């Protein structure tokens, strides 16, 4: 039978200090509590060179030796010392982000969806979570003065 532990592909669970840092970051910066989501969906936080992932406990309990390249829903990336919420997590759980939100005016929506940056002044600094006027999550952008840098993954534009 195939057997390859996740440690062989570089994924490992976060230690308690790292997990606390992640929880605090999402709560303080975005008003997004991770614990209820992790409990409801029975997920654990793991990390690899590719980022921080929410991994299903059921997989770990029943299929932990099944070979895979990477496992889980990407939660965040590390860019140097900075944490950046992952696009996949943001688009799945964006409605839970209560801070760091920015609504894009309808006239900017086509530009954003084409992957273009927006000339849009905001009081936010850093990575923001963008929504349309109907409340649909559009992903992440980096607020840089009077500009929002588009952080949509290349596969989507």
């Amino acid at each position: 039978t195939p057997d390859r532990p996740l440690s062989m592909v570089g994924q490992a669970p976060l230690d308690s200090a790292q997990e606390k840092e992640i929880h605090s970051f999402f709560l303080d910066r975005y008003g997004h509590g991770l614990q209820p989501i992790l409990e409801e969906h029975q997920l654990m936080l793991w990390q690899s060179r590719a980022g921080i992932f929410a991994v299903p406990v059921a997989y770990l309990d029943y299929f932990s030796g099944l070979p895979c390249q990477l496992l889980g829903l990407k939660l965040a990336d590390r860019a140097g010392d900075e944490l950046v919420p992952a696009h996949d997590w943001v688009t799945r759980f964006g409605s839970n982000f209560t801070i760091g939100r920015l609504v894009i005016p309808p006239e900017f929506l086509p530009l954003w969806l084409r992957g273009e940056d927006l000339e849009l002044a905001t009081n936010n600094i850093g990575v923001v979570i963008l929504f349309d006027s109907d409340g649909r999550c559009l992903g992440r952008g980096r607020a840089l003065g009077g500009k929002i840098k588009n952080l949509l993954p290349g596969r989507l534009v």
Side-chain angles (χ1 to χ4, degrees):
T1 58
D3 185 47
R4 182 174 61 203
L6 286 172
S7 60
M8 291 183 69
V9 295
Q11 275 191 280
L14 295 175
D15 65 35
S16 60
Q18 293 168 319
E19 192 163 332
K20 185 177 179 181
E21 172 199 4
I22 302 295
H23 282 267
S24 294
F25 168 77
F26 275 91
L27 191 57
D28 297 345
R29 177 73 175 90
Y30 296 102
H32 179 60
L34 294 178
Q35 196 60 40
I37 294 169
L38 297 177
E39 288 175 5
E40 179 183 352
H41 298 284
Q42 299 179 16
L43 302 168
M44 289 180 60
L45 297 182
W46 281 52
Q47 65 184 335
S48 74
R49 291 180 305 280
I52 299 164
F53 294 82
V55 174
V57 172
Y59 181 93
L60 299 170
D61 289 345
Y62 300 110
F63 305 105
S64 62
L66 189 65
C68 68
Q69 294 296 320
L70 203 54
L71 180 64
L73 179 65
K74 193 171 199 177
L75 171 70
D77 287 305
R78 288 199 186 272
D81 291 339
E82 181 186 19
L83 277 173
V84 177
H87 174 80
D88 296 339
W89 187 270
V90 166
T91 54
R92 172 64 180 87
F93 296 108
S95 62
N96 296 358
F97 286 66
T98 59
I99 304 170
R101 297 169 60 112
L102 182 65
V103 176
I104 297 177
E107 62 271 18
F108 287 102
L109 190 55
L111 300 170
W112 182 260
L113 294 175
R114 283 196 304 263
E116 296 180 28
D117 297 341
L118 303 179
E119 299 289 333
L120 188 62
T122 177
N123 293 332
N124 293 316
I125 299 172
V127 176
V128 294
I129 312 305
L130 289 97
F131 294 84
D132 68 9
S133 58
D134 292 324
R136 292 177 291 224
C137 185
L138 301 171
R140 313 154 303 147
R142 183 173 298 278
L144 305 166
K147 193 173 203 173
I148 306 294
K149 180 174 175 27
N150 196 317
L151 297 179
L152 283 174
R155 69 181 190 271
L156 298 178
V157 293

